[in-house]
Amino acid sequence: APEFNLPAVHKEGRISLADYRGRSPVLLAIFRGLYCPFCRRALAQFGTVQDKLLQAGVESLAVVATDLDNARLYFKYRPARVPIVADPDLITHRAYGLPQPPMNEQTMQAIEGLRINPTGELPEPMMPMAAAAALDRIHGYEQTATDKRDFERQGVLLKGQFLLDSAGIVRWANIECGNEGLPGFGKFPTED
């Protein structure tokens, strides 16, 4: 697994992948910025399996693609149950090969034809941007200038999860849309 060393959101200091090496396996979840309601929801879902993962001897670590101050402000009011690092420069996204589809006419047409309800909270499947706006309203989330900047910089950036053994070898990976294509956009793996 590619090494990284990023600032911790939940405490002072930095966290690197080397911190886990030789100690325990780790489930690494890499997310878009906090502008993404699907990612905010998946982070909360990720926290709900933390205890079961620990019972299985697996630690958890989340990476969120925003600056440290923005992440700390958000998680001050919505504490996460997993350790989180901030990666505004998308170091981990690139190192782990997470796709960033080009925003061309073909991609836009595919997105416009897509209807999603990945969290099951919407009354019906909607276009991704409409679904995101509806989830923001449901959750009472107001986009900040940092969120808008992150969205403009990241575009359509996919998220992923990687199970690394204690030697740092990737033993399992899940890339958003990797199995289902575009209908998998916004989904997070089940607890199983």
Side-chain angles (χ1 to χ4, degrees), residues 1-4 6 16-18 21 26 28-30 61 63 87 90-99 160-164 168-170 172-175:
E3 181 58 61
F4 57 83
L6 295 166
S16 71
L17 190 55
R21 196 150 294 129
V26 62
L28 176 67
I30 304 174
L61 180 62
V63 177
D87 183 7
L90 309 175
I91 293 164
T92 51
H93 290 80
R94 286 197 258 314
Y96 283 80
L98 291 172
Q161 302 79 41
F162 303 86
L163 180 61
L164 316 175
I169 306 296
V170 177
W172 173 84
N174 178 66
I175 307 298

Side-chain angles (χ1 to χ4, degrees), residues 46-58 60 81-82:
F46 190 35
T48 64
V49 298
Q50 169 79 349
D51 292 339
K52 289 182 181 180
L53 288 169
L54 285 173
Q55 288 174 0
V58 178
S60 304
R81 296 181 61 199
V82 296

